Amino acid sequence: MTTPLLPVYLLVDLADTGVPAGKEELLNHDVDALVDWLGSDPTLVEQVRVCVLGFTSEVIYDLPMTAPADIGRLPPMPVGGPRSYAAVLAEVRRRVGTELAELEMDLPIAGPLVVLLTDGPPAPDDQWEPALRELVDNPRQLTLMPVWWADSRVPGLPAYPVGVGHRRAVPGAGGLLRVVESLIRSHLSQPDARVEHVHDGHERDAHARAEHVHDGHERDGRARDGYGATTRAGRTPPGPRPAGVRGAAPVPPPRPAAEPEWVGDFQPYAVGHPGQAAVVRPAPDPGEWDRRDTVLDGVCLRDATGEPALELRAASVRGLSHRFYGTVRQDDYAFRCTADQRYLVAVVSDGVSNSRLSHKAANLVARVGAAEVARMLDQRPPEDLDWPELLRQLSDRVVLLAEKLVEPPPDGGRPGYGDVARHLAATALFAVVGLRRVDGATPVCLFAVGDSSAWVLRQGVRWEPQQPVKNADSVIATASTDAVPVKRSDFDPPVTTLLHAGDVLVLMTDGVGDPLGDGVGTVGRFLAGMWARPPAPLAFAAQVDFARRSQDDDRTALAVWPE
C-alpha cells in the first residue's frame, strides 16, 4: 500500500508585536532548524511536503508546497507590521483546493497539518472566525494546531479561540522543532485516528480532549472545543463542531467524497487601498484591436550544455487608466538567448504617454533592441557593447516607422527626432544575463535610457536599485524622462552586478517602479514575498497587475531567477 503524503502548512507570525527582543533573528533560526530537520530525515523527505507562509496583516512571505530536500536555505523572513489571522487562513483555504490536487496526481494525500506559529493575539477587529470556519469546512479533514511561540517568562497563554488547545514553544531553544516534530510524527503514525502525541512520548485521546504541556504533566479536567469553549472532559457542549479539526466531538466517518470536477480559485491582488480597480470595466481600444490587454511568459532557459540556468517570468498589463478610457497598452518587453546559449538578452520598454503611437515605439525598441544586442554579443562580450551606437540605430528605426505612420512635415522633408518623439517615443532598459555561472554567481550587465528601472531582490528580502531611484531626491515628483529616439549620447554608463543563489533580477517600467518607491514599503514587501521564488506565469501576471489607489499606469515586469 502506498504511504500517503502529509502536506504541512507552517503559518509564521511576522508581526512586530509579541516577543519584544530579537524576534527576527530567533524566528529565522527556529524555522531554519525545522526545515533542516525535515530535509535531513530520510522518512520525512519521502512522506512530507511543506509550505511556509509568513504573515502580518497579509501574507508577505511565500514558500509554495515543496519537498523538504528541494528547499535548501530559506531566504530570511522580515518582521514588521500588525497581526491578522484572517488573510493567512483564507490563503491556506485557497491552497488546500489547488496545491493538494496537484500533489494527488502523483500520490495519495493525508489530511493536511496546519501549524499556526504565533506570539500574540490578532487585532480586535480581525475577522478570523469566518475565515477559520471556511478553512475547516472542507472534505480534507485538516488539523489546525496553534503553537504559542513566546519566552517562558511571558505570563499566561493566549486566550484567543483558534483551533483545539495549543502548544508552547520557547524561542531559540529548539522548542519549535520539538513541538512540530511531535505533531508530524503523530500525524504520520496514525493519520486517521484522533490521537495526538507530545514530545515526551505520552499520548492523549483527542476525543477526551486531555491536554499535555511540555513538562509532561496532564490536565484532564477542562479542554477547548473547536471555537475555544471549555467543557468537562468527555462531555460535549451543545452546537455544531467544525468538521476535521482535532479535538472536535466524535463524528461518524465521512462518506467518500466524489472527486471534484475542477479545483482552483482566483482573487485579484490589492496592496493597500485598491482605489477604483473593482468598479472599472475595461474597454477595448477601437483603433488597436490586435494590441492585447495583457501578455505574459514563463520559461526555463538552458545553457549550452542543456542544463537549466535561469527561470524567467514576464508580464505586461494595461493600466487602470487605459482600461477605463479604452486606450491601448503602451508598455512592451522582449527577450531571447544568443545563438551560442551564453547570454540572455532582455528588454523592457515604456511608451511615453503623451505620444499617441508610443506603443509602436515600445514594441520596436524591445523587439529590435533584443535582436540587435544578441547579434552584437556574437562578436564581443557584454562589457564591450557599443550602447550609443545601438541607440542611434534604434532611433533611426523609430524615425523610419514614423515616416510610415504620421503625416510628413509641411516642407515635405524627413522628420527630425523631435518631430517623431511627439508621436512615437519609448524608454529602453536592457539586460544581458550570463547563462554560465562565473565563480558561482550569475553576471549581469544593464543599460538604461529613461525611467524604466532594474532592481535586484537580494535573498528574497532586500530591494537593491541598479539605477538612481526615480524622484528620490526631488521635492516635486516629475514624469519627464529620456526616450528613444534620442540625439544625445552622454548617458550613464552600463551597470554590472552579480546574482547569487536566492537573488532575483527584475526589470520594470515605472508603472511598477513608482509604487515600489525605494523598496522598503508595503509594495516592496508584497512583491518580495511573491517573487522570492518563481511563481506560476499566470500568478506573476496577476501580481504585476496588483491594485493600489492612484497607481493606474501600464505595468511591465520581467524577472530572472538563477537556477
Side-chain angles (χ1 to χ4, degrees):
M1 180 177 176
T2 303
T3 303
L5 289 176
L6 172 61
V8 178
Y9 290 89
L10 180 62
L11 316 183
V12 183
D13 177 357
L14 300 178
D16 56 6
T17 58
V19 175
K23 174 175 178 176
E24 184 165 326
E25 181 178 356
L26 288 172
L27 189 60
N28 280 289
H29 173 273
D30 281 7
V31 173
D32 284 342
L34 175 60
V35 171
D36 288 346
W37 166 70
L38 288 171
S40 61
D41 187 301
T43 302
L44 299 180
V45 166
E46 297 297 327
Q47 292 186 250
V48 174
R49 299 294 181 267
V50 63
C51 168
V52 181
L53 299 176
F55 69 95
T56 53
S57 59
E58 57 189 356
V59 175
I60 63 172
Y61 184 98
D62 184 350
L63 171 68
M65 190 64 70
T66 308
D70 296 336
I71 294 177
R73 190 69 176 174
L74 284 175
M77 288 184 278
V79 169
R83 179 183 295 106
S84 167
Y85 296 150
V88 73
L89 293 175
E91 177 66 9
V92 174
R93 176 181 175 273
R94 183 184 71 81
R95 289 175 181 239
V96 164
T98 55
E99 290 180 332
L100 302 193
E102 294 178 5
L103 290 177
E104 280 180 324
M105 294 179 182
D106 300 320
L107 288 170
I109 300 296
L113 172 63
V114 182
V115 179
L116 174 64
L117 178 65
T118 184
D119 60 345
D125 59 349
D126 184 28
Q127 299 297 311
W128 62 265
E129 292 173 278
L132 175 63
R133 293 189 187 98
E134 291 185 3
L135 173 61
V136 300
D137 186 19
N138 68 78
R140 291 291 182 176
Q141 294 294 298
L142 62 83
T143 298
L144 174 65
M145 177 55 67
V147 175
W148 177 241
W149 186 82
D151 193 289
S152 58
R153 293 170 293 180
V154 177
L157 291 171
Y160 50 88
V162 174
V164 183
H166 50 259
R167 300 292 177 85
R168 181 197 285 273
V170 178
L176 175 63
L177 176 56
R178 290 194 295 272
V179 169
V180 177
E181 178 181 3
S182 71
L183 292 171
I184 289 176
R185 294 200 184 281
S186 173
H187 223 72
L188 290 173
S189 63
Q190 300 190 42
D192 298 320
R194 295 186 180 274
V195 178
E196 298 185 8
H197 297 259
V198 290
H199 64 266
D200 60 4
H202 298 297
E203 293 183 347
R204 69 169 176 173
D205 187 336
H207 288 165
R209 294 182 297 278
E211 296 183 7
H212 288 268
V213 291
H214 287 308
D215 58 5
H217 296 297
E218 189 174 76
R219 296 179 296 173
D220 289 305
R222 299 177 69 84
R224 297 179 185 272
D225 72 0
Y227 289 97
T230 57
T231 66
R232 290 290 178 185
R235 299 199 49 188
T236 304
R241 299 290 196 285
V245 180
R246 293 193 177 227
V251 294
R255 295 177 181 175
E259 287 294 324
E261 292 186 271
W262 61 83
V263 296
D265 192 12
F266 174 73
Q267 181 177 355
Y269 290 90
V271 181
H273 194 294
Q276 299 298 308
V279 299
V280 169
R281 303 180 70 178
D285 188 331
E288 293 283 351
W289 289 111
D290 294 326
R291 179 73 171 172
R292 301 278 67 85
D293 177 279
T294 300
V295 294
L296 61 97
D297 282 282
V299 294
C300 173
L301 302 171
R302 300 176 181 270
D303 62 20
T305 68
E307 289 297 313
L310 304 171
E311 279 286 337
L312 181 145
R313 302 289 183 268
S316 183
V317 301
R318 194 162 53 135
L320 198 64
S321 176
H322 286 166
R323 286 172 173 165
F324 178 79
Y325 289 108
T327 50
V328 71
R329 171 176 53 87
Q330 296 177 314
D331 284 4
D332 225 320
Y333 69 84
F335 63 89
R336 64 183 60 206
C337 292
T338 55
D340 58 7
Q341 293 296 112
R342 293 186 63 191
Y343 302 105
L344 163 71
V345 179
V347 187
V348 163
S349 183
D350 181 357
V352 177
S353 59
N354 59 2
S355 300
R356 182 177 60 87
L357 299 173
S358 64
H359 59 288
K360 296 186 180 295
N363 178 267
L364 184 150
V365 166
R367 179 174 48 83
V368 176
E372 186 60 24
V373 172
R375 187 194 65 78
M376 295 165 65
L377 288 167
D378 288 339
Q379 288 136 31
R380 66 193 75 178
E383 59 270 21
D384 292 338
L385 292 180
D386 190 343
W387 296 106
E389 173 60 18
L390 173 67
L391 293 180
R392 186 192 65 76
Q393 294 181 24
L394 291 175
S395 296
D396 288 345
R397 291 288 296 268
V398 172
V399 170
L400 289 173
L401 180 61
E403 291 176 347
K404 300 176 183 178
L405 299 176
V406 302
E407 291 291 329
D411 60 5
R414 190 180 185 192
Y417 283 8
D419 299 321
V420 170
R422 286 194 291 271
H423 303 280
L424 295 90
T427 68
L429 173 62
F430 300 88
V432 177
V433 185
L435 292 172
R436 299 175 183 173
R437 295 185 185 89
V438 177
D439 295 329
T442 299
V444 177
C445 179
L446 302 160
F447 181 75
V449 177
D451 56 10
S452 296
S453 56
W455 296 72
V456 175
L457 177 59
R458 297 292 183 191
Q459 302 300 303
V461 175
R462 177 174 57 86
W463 287 100
E464 181 181 285
Q466 303 302 301
Q467 290 90 25
V469 176
K470 181 180 176 182
N471 293 317
D473 300 318
S474 302
V475 177
I476 300 176
T478 177
S480 64
T481 184
D482 288 317
V484 178
V486 62
K487 277 286 190 186
R488 53 185 289 251
S489 58
D490 55 336
F491 297 104
D492 292 335
V495 173
T496 59
T497 189
L498 294 173
L499 300 180
H500 300 279
D503 292 344
V504 189
L505 171 69
V506 186
L507 314 181
M508 61 184 71
T509 60
D510 64 350
V512 183
D514 284 358
L516 178 64
D518 59 5
V520 300
T522 306
V523 173
R525 292 193 296 273
F526 162 69
L527 294 179
M530 295 298 103
W531 296 348
R533 291 172 178 266
L538 286 171
F540 183 81
Q543 291 151 8
V544 171
D545 194 31
F546 68 87
R548 186 171 177 83
R549 181 165 52 190
S550 79
Q551 304 293 340
D552 57 4
D553 197 5
D554 294 341
R555 306 261 185 84
T556 298
L558 187 152
V560 173
W561 290 260
E563 186 70 21

